[in-house]
């Protein structure tokens, strides 16, 4: 176990060790999830394959999320209080407005898609706020300027939206069977090294060395940045393995009851004693492989089926004309009735398939 004393003395080392333990504890799940996602997104490297796993994931995702939800806010106790009723209607309309104007549906579809493929779907609730100076009368503004005071600010615009967190970019404290006991969660993002140095005003030692990083040839020099929400201290630590000091340590400004900026993730196939999901693909992998084998053998067998026919050598040109005119037409054959009677009613014999 990681010593909690290190959290104050060396936060980066503390969280690096915690994340390493988390990767080890959830390694089996992530390996299975990656395999399941690859199988579901297989574009058919072999011809005439039957990807039933892709079909299963699509059906599961469609049954879980078909369209944006409709908010339904009601009073808990139906007392004759018109103010409570008006408040419920206002909250309901606010939720509908947020769902209609925000990015709720694309994020929800991505979360459900992750869940159907890997057994883990992670939503994140994001609160955005814009502030600006308070509108003052000219006299008040002039008085504040005379006293050397800045105009106070007020909230001009605020919104709450939902974001999709890729399953591979989410980490949670291992060793618990109930979500309420999880002490920290981490969100991993990638950022260009130069951009990170500008944003955090520091010099980093180099790009990420994590084995799970994205293909560097596509994205150039990148660094991994972990945003870790620690419930016991109600602090947010922003670290990167490329720098010895935390990039940021933020205090809790939202004051949420559960602290985390995400609800309990969508976990599938959990055991009762641990919070480690398992994709459905693990249970049907052998059956899917059997279906692929049968599909390949069926195709190979169909390719071997070829009709072979025999006829008298003197009629070969006429028979070839008939076969080549299968689209329609009439081919004259000299003395056809007599020849059919001589052949017992058949001019062509076919080998049995």
């Amino acid at each position: 176990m990681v010593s909690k004393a290190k959290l104050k003395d060396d936060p980066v080392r503390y969280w690096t060790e915690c994340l390493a333990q988390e990767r080890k504890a959830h390694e089996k799940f992530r390996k299975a999830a990656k395999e399941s996602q690859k199988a579901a997104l297989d574009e058919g490297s072999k011809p005439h394959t039957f990807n039933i796993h892709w079909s299963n994931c699509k059906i599961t995702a469609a049954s879980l999320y078909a369209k944006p939800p409709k908010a339904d806010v009601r009073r808990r106790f139906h007392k004759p209080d018109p103010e409570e009723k008006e408040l419920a209607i206002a909250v309901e309309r606010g939720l509908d407005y947020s769902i209609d104007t925000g990015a709720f549906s694309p994020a929800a579809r991505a979360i459900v898609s992750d869940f159907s493929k890997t057994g883990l779907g992670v939503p994140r609730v994001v609160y955005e706020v814009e502030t600006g100076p308070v509108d003052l009368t000219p006299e008040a503004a002039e008085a504040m300027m005379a006293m050397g005071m800045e105009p106070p600010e007020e909230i001009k615009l605020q919104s709450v939206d939902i974001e999709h967190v890729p399953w591979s970019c989410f980490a949670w404290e291992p060793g618990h069977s109930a979500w309420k006991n999880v002490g920290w969660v981490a969100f991993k993002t990638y950022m260009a090294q130069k951009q990170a140095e500008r944003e955090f005003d520091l010099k980093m030692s180099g790009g990420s060395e994590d084995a799970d990083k994205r293909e560097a040839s596509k994205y150039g020099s990148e660094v991994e940045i972990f945003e870790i929400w620690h419930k016991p201290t109600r602090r947010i630590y922003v670290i990167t393995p490329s720098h010895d000091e935390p990039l940021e340590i933020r205090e809790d400004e939202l004051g949420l009851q559960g602290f985390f900026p995400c609800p309990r993730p969508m976990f599938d196939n959990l055991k009762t004693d641990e919070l480690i999901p398992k994709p459905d693909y693990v249970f049907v992998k052998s059956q899917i492989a059997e279906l692929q084998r049968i599909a390949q053998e069926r195709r190979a067998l169909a390719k071997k089926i070829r009709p072979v026919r025999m006829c008298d050598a003197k009629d070969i040109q006429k028979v070839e004309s008939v076969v080549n005119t299968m689209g329609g037409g009439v081919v004259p054959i000299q003395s056809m009735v007599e020849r059919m009677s001589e052949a017992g009613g058949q001019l062509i014999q076919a080998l049995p398939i």
Side-chain angles (χ1 to χ4, degrees):
M1 295 295 294
V2 181
S3 173
K4 292 186 177 180
K6 292 181 180 178
L7 179 59
K8 184 177 180 181
D9 301 332
D10 192 351
V12 174
R13 184 178 178 184
Y14 174 83
W15 287 118
T16 300
E17 292 178 4
C18 286
L19 290 169
Q21 288 184 354
E22 192 273 346
R23 278 194 294 269
K24 185 177 180 181
H26 299 154
E27 179 181 9
K28 187 175 180 181
F29 155 69
R30 290 197 173 95
K31 183 178 179 180
K34 187 179 294 185
E35 182 182 9
S36 176
Q37 181 172 264
K38 183 179 179 181
L41 299 178
D42 184 13
E43 297 177 357
S45 54
K46 296 181 180 179
H48 308 290
T49 56
F50 180 53
N51 193 346
I52 188 65
H53 182 47
W54 170 84
S55 177
N56 289 343
C57 291
K58 285 290 186 181
I59 292 172
T60 302
S63 63
L64 290 174
Y65 185 84
K67 60 182 180 180
K70 184 70 175 176
D72 185 4
V73 181
R74 306 181 187 184
R75 295 170 291 174
R76 185 173 183 180
F77 303 106
H78 291 276
K79 297 183 294 184
D81 189 341
E83 292 185 357
E84 287 187 358
K85 182 177 181 180
E86 291 177 3
L87 180 60
I89 294 174
V91 173
E92 183 177 291
R93 290 177 177 175
L95 291 173
D96 282 334
Y97 177 82
S98 297
I99 293 172
D100 293 341
T101 60
F104 182 90
S105 195
R109 293 186 188 281
I111 294 163
V112 170
S113 178
D114 272 1
F115 175 73
S116 66
K117 294 183 181 73
T118 68
L120 175 63
V122 186
R124 178 172 179 174
V125 180
V126 179
Y127 170 66
E128 296 181 351
V129 58
E130 294 182 10
T131 60
V134 177
D135 296 329
L136 301 173
T137 62
E139 293 80 7
E142 185 177 350
M144 293 190 70
M145 291 180 62
M147 292 185 291
M149 298 174 59
E150 293 291 334
E153 291 193 343
E154 64 178 357
I155 295 177
K156 298 292 186 180
L157 180 65
Q158 54 185 339
S159 63
V160 177
D161 212 339
I162 186 174
E163 282 187 356
H164 161 241
V165 178
W167 67 269
S168 57
C169 296
F170 180 72
W172 67 101
E173 184 183 25
H176 299 287
S177 60
W179 179 252
K180 66 179 181 179
N181 298 327
V182 174
W184 60 265
V185 297
F187 304 94
K188 179 173 68 174
T189 57
Y190 292 91
M191 186 179 294
Q193 183 173 338
K194 292 183 178 179
Q195 179 184 352
E197 290 175 348
R198 288 194 305 268
E199 183 168 332
F200 296 104
D201 192 22
L202 49 83
K203 185 68 176 177
M204 296 186 180
S205 58
S208 171
E209 297 180 357
D210 182 20
D212 293 330
K213 69 177 181 178
R214 301 184 293 180
E215 299 176 37
S217 59
K218 289 184 179 180
Y219 301 98
S221 180
E222 288 188 326
V223 292
E224 281 180 323
I225 296 178
F226 293 91
E227 182 185 344
I228 305 164
W229 291 64
H230 190 222
K231 186 188 292 185
T233 59
R234 297 190 75 90
R235 286 184 175 179
I236 300 95
Y237 295 83
V238 182
I239 68 166
T240 176
S242 304
H243 193 63
D244 297 333
E245 297 292 332
L247 304 180
E248 282 183 348
I249 299 180
R250 303 196 302 265
E251 298 295 332
D252 178 24
E253 296 181 353
L254 298 178
L256 301 175
Q257 183 177 1
F259 177 68
F260 297 146
C262 62
R264 181 184 183 275
M266 299 175 68
F267 291 122
D268 200 11
N269 302 314
L270 286 178
K271 296 181 180 178
T272 56
D273 58 345
E274 60 183 11
L275 277 174
I276 303 179
K278 187 177 292 186
D280 290 340
Y281 182 74
V282 173
F283 303 98
V284 298
K285 181 179 177 180
S286 59
Q287 291 93 323
I288 291 175
E290 180 69 9
L291 279 175
Q292 295 287 23
R293 185 188 66 79
I294 292 174
Q296 292 293 330
E297 289 188 357
R298 182 185 64 180
R299 175 63 182 175
L301 182 62
K303 290 175 66 176
K304 293 178 180 178
I305 297 176
R306 292 290 184 272
V308 179
R309 299 177 179 87
M310 298 168 291
C311 69
D312 194 281
K314 63 183 179 181
D315 295 325
I316 185 63
Q317 291 183 352
K318 295 295 184 181
V319 172
E320 286 181 345
S321 299
V322 173
V323 173
N324 295 332
T325 320
M326 295 301 290
V330 178
V331 178
I333 297 179
Q334 191 72 27
S335 304
M336 179 177 176
V337 176
E338 291 81 358
R339 293 192 181 189
M340 287 183 66
S341 61
E342 293 174 3
Q346 295 185 21
L347 290 177
I348 300 175
Q349 296 291 334
L351 288 177
I353 296 178

